[in-house]
Amino acid sequence: DNFPNLVFHAVDFSYGESGPAVLNSVSFDVEPLTKVAIVGPSGAGKSTVFDLATGLREPSSGSVTVGGLNPRDILFGAPGTFGIVTQRPHLVTGSILENVSLVEDSSTDQDKVQQSLVRAGLGKFTELENWFELQIKPDSGQLSGGEIQRLGLARALYRDPKVLFLDEATSALDAETEAEITKVLQSLKNEMTVILIAHRLSTVQHADKIIYLDKGKIVAEGTFAELKAKVPDFAK
């Protein structure tokens, strides 16, 4: 299957043998090419869901599959299937090309980098003369928080992922930049599955499905309107 579905089946997760349960019998599925948002208060287990879905961690019990496969097999066997945009993408010292492709300039597809930057809302950089020679120095303050975030998105898009994960990726952004990224995510609609953890309502309003997680359990799932009707906390 070109675009895999993601299935959590009765997933429990805790850190260590005797650690408290972070996730408790979590079951849901994400259909290919849909946009799904995971919401809920701090400590609900949202980031753990991501770690399990991408194969960075394995469930204590239950199963997580992506297209019927263990995510860990995909992580090592078919890299590029997942695109991951973290809360704070790390910059590398080097050219803007290297910052997007994460390999040296000579192995980088320059046109693809340009396309990824434009799609992530960083087209202004590609309009500079010899833009591809632009050198990035981490912690130099040359890029704003929003620009770093969008660079992280460009990096994920460069790999043509089948599933794009965004972990609070708009938290560092002002409303205008966030609206732009939300627009980018809308434009990816038929190209990849998008799964995002978000706090801001504007980011989740257009999701096909919203999963409300609290204390490691799914309280409810549905569209924006359905969730507003079902979950007082969400409505608030």
Side-chain angles (χ1 to χ4, degrees):
D1 183 10
N2 243 346
F3 289 92
N5 59 340
L6 165 68
V7 179
F8 270 58
H9 179 68
V11 170
D12 293 338
F13 181 81
S14 44
Y15 293 100
E17 291 291 305
S18 52
V22 181
L23 295 180
N24 203 322
S25 196
V26 167
S27 296
F28 65 88
D29 63 278
V30 175
E31 293 294 318
L33 300 178
T34 58
K35 178 176 165 188
V36 172
I38 300 173
V39 301
S42 267
K46 301 185 295 290
S47 293
T48 305
V49 166
F50 264 33
D51 288 348
L52 293 166
T54 52
L56 297 173
R57 296 187 186 280
E58 301 207 282
S60 307
S61 67
S63 69
V64 179
T65 57
V66 176
L69 300 171
N70 182 326
R72 191 154 282 202
D73 295 340
I74 294 173
L75 193 64
F76 296 111
T81 304
F82 303 136
I84 302 173
V85 185
T86 57
Q87 252 174 340
R88 291 185 187 79
H90 292 285
L91 299 177
V92 295
T93 301
S95 71
I96 193 161
L97 291 179
E98 289 170 319
N99 267 280
V100 174
S101 70
L102 296 178
V103 292
E104 59 234 28
D105 282 358
S106 56
S107 310
T108 297
D109 179 339
Q110 192 175 311
D111 291 339
K112 192 107 188 274
V113 169
Q114 186 170 11
Q115 186 192 354
S116 305
L117 287 168
V118 169
R119 293 183 77 186
L122 292 176
K124 62 176 184 184
F125 286 121
T126 68
E127 288 158 15
L128 304 169
E129 201 179 344
N130 297 342
W131 66 271
F132 42 87
E133 289 172 357
L134 178 68
Q135 295 297 306
I136 304 277
K137 293 186 181 68
D139 307 322
S140 65
Q142 75 191 111
L143 298 182
S144 69
E147 287 167 345
I148 292 171
Q149 203 66 59
R150 284 186 275 184
L151 193 66
L153 179 57
R155 199 179 269 175
L157 294 178
Y158 179 79
R159 285 160 182 74
D160 286 327
K162 296 203 163 44
V163 188
L164 180 67
F165 292 93
L166 298 112
D167 184 359
E168 281 292 3
T170 55
S171 57
L173 307 181
D174 56 66
E176 196 181 332
T177 314
E178 187 196 23
E180 282 169 29
I181 287 208
T182 303
K183 222 171 1 190
V184 173
L185 296 182
Q186 287 299 97
S187 75
L188 299 174
K189 183 85 178 97
N190 298 312
E191 295 177 47
M192 58 192 72
T193 307
V194 176
I195 303 173
L196 53 101
I197 291 175
H199 276 166
R200 294 190 186 172
L201 291 182
S202 54
T203 325
V204 304
Q205 244 159 345
H206 302 294
D208 298 298
K209 177 159 74 176
I210 302 171
I211 295 168
Y212 192 97
L213 205 61
D214 192 11
K215 300 189 180 72
K217 289 185 172 162
I218 291 181
V219 178
E221 57 177 276
T223 61
F224 189 78
E226 287 167 347
L227 230 58
K228 234 165 55 168
K230 286 188 215 170
V231 184
D233 283 349
F234 183 75
K236 197 164 73 201

